[in-house]
Amino acid sequence: MDKYDYDISVDAFSLERQEYNYAYSIEITENLIIDVDQNENLVAIELLNASKELNIKPEQLVNPRSIYAEVSKSDDSINLLIKFELEDMTRELDVPLFNDINLKNNTIMSI
């Protein structure tokens, strides 16, 4: 199982593998940072200003029902989908990534 943390005092969300070998971070946007391992697998996601990015109240991120993240690749694009199942709603971030990022296809993280 992956680990989830939300720090309401700074509005920062993170989702990461229980165990992994960190290689480097990639800043996707000013509020979205991903970490990868030496095999180019997605191993952690950090979302700053999370409640603002998702257009919800910070309290709603304290105990989400589930969180799902997936990397999908095609010949010309890479996407990161993060889906938040909250008490009374669902929120998604669907983020196109740079074509030169060599993330593995269908890397999935969830709680």
Side-chain angles (χ1 to χ4, degrees):
M1 167 114 7
D2 298 317
K3 297 187 302 186
Y4 163 77
D5 184 49
Y6 177 66
D7 185 338
I8 196 167
S9 67
V10 294
D11 196 20
F13 148 85
S14 66
L15 178 65
E16 62 187 52
R17 299 270 185 220
Q18 285 282 52
E19 295 182 22
Y20 64 91
N21 294 318
Y22 170 84
Y24 60 93
S25 297
I26 303 168
E27 185 175 315
I28 304 301
T29 69
E30 66 181 324
N31 289 324
L32 180 62
I33 301 153
I34 61 173
D35 294 346
V36 298
D37 67 12
Q38 66 276 8
N39 295 317
E40 306 294 330
N41 290 303
L42 176 68
V43 294
I45 300 167
E46 183 175 15
L47 182 62
L48 308 175
N49 298 307
S51 65
K52 291 179 184 137
E53 289 284 326
L54 296 168
N55 195 26
I56 59 175
K57 296 176 185 173
E59 297 79 17
Q60 292 175 286
L61 282 170
V62 173
N63 291 309
R65 288 189 176 162
S66 68
I67 301 170
Y68 173 85
E70 178 179 9
V71 173
S72 60
K73 293 172 72 172
S74 66
D75 290 339
D76 58 350
S77 67
I78 303 172
N79 262 35
L80 171 62
L81 172 68
I82 310 170
K83 186 175 182 178
F84 297 81
E85 294 284 342
L86 306 171
E87 188 169 318
D88 57 352
M89 70 182 74
T90 300
R91 289 287 191 262
E92 291 185 1
L93 286 179
D94 194 0
V95 183
L97 304 177
F98 306 110
N99 285 339
D100 59 348
I101 296 174
N102 293 319
L103 292 176
K104 300 285 186 194
N105 194 28
N106 294 325
T107 302
I108 296 173
M109 300 174 69
S110 65
I111 62 157

